[in-house]
Amino acid sequence: MALSRSYFCSRYAIQVKIGFKSSSSHSDFSVVIWHSAKLKMMIMMKLLVFLVSFNLVSSTVLAVGPPTCPADDASECTDDEWKGEFFPAIPKIKYEGPNSKNQLAFKYYNSEEEILGKKMKDWMRFSVAFWHTFRGTGGDPFGAPTKYWPWEDGTNSLAMAKRRMRANFEFLDKLGVEFWCFHDRDIAPDGETLEETNRNLDEVVTLAKELQQGSKIHLLWGTAQLFFHPRYMHGAATSPEVGVYAYAASQVRKAMEVTHYLGGENYVFWGGREGYQSLLNTDMERELDHMARFLEAAVKYKKKIGFNGTLLIEPKPQEPTKHQYDWDAATAANFLRKYGLIGEFKLNIECNHATLSGHSCHHELETARLNGLLGNIDANTGDPQTGWDTDQFMTDIAEATLVMLSVIKNGGLAPGGFNFDAKLRRESTDVEDLFIAHISGMDTLARGLRNAAKLIEDGSLAELVRKRYQSFDTEIGAQIEAGKADFEFLEKKAMEWGEPKVPSGKQELSEMIFQSAL
């Protein structure tokens, strides 16, 4: 869940107003006609120049600004009801097999196909991330937005929020994905007060509930966005300001309620600013204690409202904060153990975050799995030539195979799944690119599942690993693993055996076996 999740909510728009009357304290443009013919002529010339200039400006704005209605629909789209389809040129995406040349078809993801006793869709439980797919603008720290979807009107109004929600459900239906995820501020705009903000969220969530009913679409998880607003510049649960801490608690309370209302199966905590920029002005111990108290309160509230979903923590080392307290899976696991929360939370592992912390995604998944904490995967990847969280769709078949090996060993991810916390590249601006990107990501992970199943069914890799540790399958090895061999006993055996013979690790053979499955 990267900083890009903030989607830089505001759209940039140019507005030019002309009028002789205004509801504001001054007129936008006023002309007083004097009786002097000369003065009249001067004013008329200035007016003519202004109108010509305005025509050029408005033409430019209209050429690059976001259209409010599709070209084939002349009806007005002034409310939250969109007239017609959002993706009229896109059919429902179907499985056509690896020989298909259709870019809007699955080549490897066949949802109903059984692999290792479970349907492919049940291994995957794919989800679309609302913040990237419907709030991503293509903007970055160095450039303005590049994406203007046909249904956008350039505002962040409540009506626009409802229209986006309808687009989301049409997208999910056509893509054949049964889950979605959101931040509270992705789907509903801030109000002037917390009360108004909550009312806005309630309206959009009510619509989402209606759209879910009668469909196969469910909420995988929800979360609160506690990193974008200036109030959270020092953190939320770790802010030195008690007012911010209380506001964050109120926001999480509401987000948990609406997640529960929508039937969400999980709830995620991503501490984008829960950390520090400098230890010189930071009481780290106090901040960690505060974060633990915050999460304890979340556990209590979850139980109070009867929410049975899994609470997830998403590790990330840094960005936007220099150092974040949930650096990686091991750090998060240690935090949970220290504060007695190990049984209340699992981890949402994001592959791009894993690489930023100096690990592979496979390493983070195995660390989480071996600690009994693997709950969900944010399916994305980074670019080795770029030093930040780029949130790209995973297209590396080898990486996907390693990911699926961990998922299979974990017995699947339910009630978690694979959430596409991934965004289009800045230069990809066609509506169909949204589908192509998700199809590619789904096919990549499907190929990974197929490859991982081949490796497991073949057994050669598992046998290589077994043989590497076979000396511990002896009586002495069993005593060691049972904690019954003390140093004196082991020293006696070392003297008895003499210099040990160390066999080859067969790393190249293991890589050969792995590559043969790709």
Side-chain angles (χ1 to χ4, degrees), residues 85 87-88 90-93 170-176 435:
E85 291 185 81
F87 308 97
I90 307 294
K92 286 196 174 185
I93 310 303
E170 184 181 318
F171 182 80
L172 291 165
D173 179 61
K174 288 195 170 183
L175 187 61
F435 286 88

Side-chain angles (χ1 to χ4, degrees), residues 55-335:
N55 185 56
L56 291 173
V57 171
S58 60
S59 297
T60 303
V61 172
L62 290 173
V64 300
T68 58
C69 291
D72 59 351
D73 188 352
S75 61
E76 293 184 1
C77 302
T78 56
D79 59 11
D80 61 294
E81 298 288 344
W82 182 255
K83 310 300 189 288
E85 291 185 81
F86 291 89
F87 308 97
I90 307 294
K92 286 196 174 185
I93 310 303
K94 297 179 180 180
Y95 172 73
E96 294 184 3
N99 295 323
S100 173
K101 301 299 182 182
N102 181 4
Q103 64 189 20
L104 294 175
F106 296 118
K107 284 75 174 176
Y108 298 93
Y109 176 63
N110 184 6
S111 63
E112 297 296 322
E113 179 182 350
E114 283 200 9
I115 293 181
L116 298 179
K118 189 179 295 188
K119 289 183 179 180
M120 192 175 282
K121 69 176 184 179
D122 295 328
W123 280 116
M124 304 304 193
R125 290 168 60 85
F126 285 129
S127 172
V128 170
F130 194 95
W131 53 93
H132 282 320
T133 303
F134 292 98
R135 300 310 307 273
T137 66
D140 64 23
F142 306 98
T146 60
K147 297 172 179 44
Y148 300 98
W149 304 130
W151 55 85
E152 290 286 337
D153 64 7
T155 73
N156 191 31
S157 65
L158 188 56
M160 188 64 246
K162 292 180 179 180
R163 191 183 301 168
R164 291 188 195 106
M165 187 58 68
R166 294 182 186 280
N168 173 51
F169 275 81
E170 184 181 318
F171 182 80
L172 291 165
D173 179 61
K174 288 195 170 183
L175 187 61
V177 168
E178 296 182 358
F179 295 97
W180 64 292
C181 298
F182 72 91
H183 292 88
D184 50 1
R185 299 301 180 259
D186 304 328
I187 62 173
D190 267 315
E192 293 296 323
T193 64
L194 181 58
E195 292 83 359
E196 182 183 347
T197 299
N198 287 343
R199 287 196 298 272
N200 290 345
L201 184 58
D202 284 337
E203 279 205 47
V204 178
V205 166
T206 298
L207 173 62
K209 182 81 168 182
E210 293 173 2
L211 294 170
Q212 281 187 173
Q213 291 172 348
S215 76
K216 295 181 179 180
I217 297 169
H218 309 281
L219 180 65
L220 187 65
W221 51 259
T223 186
Q225 190 205 75
L226 304 176
F227 52 87
F228 182 74
H229 195 281
R231 76 173 70 91
Y232 296 125
M233 64 180 177
H234 301 304
T238 60
S239 174
E241 292 298 322
V242 70
V244 174
Y245 187 99
Y247 198 104
S250 177
Q251 194 173 334
V252 168
R253 176 182 182 273
K254 184 64 177 180
M256 289 182 71
E257 286 177 353
V258 299
T259 297
H260 180 39
Y261 174 74
L262 288 171
E265 298 187 36
N266 309 268
Y267 183 87
V268 171
F269 292 86
W270 179 64
R273 298 193 188 276
E274 310 294 19
Y276 63 81
Q277 299 290 4
S278 171
L279 281 174
L280 293 175
N281 66 347
T282 300
D283 187 335
M284 184 194 288
E285 182 178 21
R286 201 169 188 184
E287 289 194 359
L288 286 168
D289 287 347
H290 290 174
M291 188 163 74
R293 300 292 89 82
F294 193 95
L295 295 176
E296 287 171 358
V299 171
K300 290 178 182 177
Y301 193 67
K302 165 194 166 177
K303 295 176 180 178
K304 181 177 181 179
I305 63 175
F307 176 50
N308 295 320
T310 302
L311 300 181
L312 299 166
I313 292 177
E314 183 175 326
K316 188 179 183 182
Q318 75 281 315
E319 192 198 52
T321 306
K322 177 181 177 180
H323 177 94
Q324 288 167 210
Y325 292 134
D326 48 8
W327 180 276
D328 60 7
T331 306
N334 181 64
F335 171 87

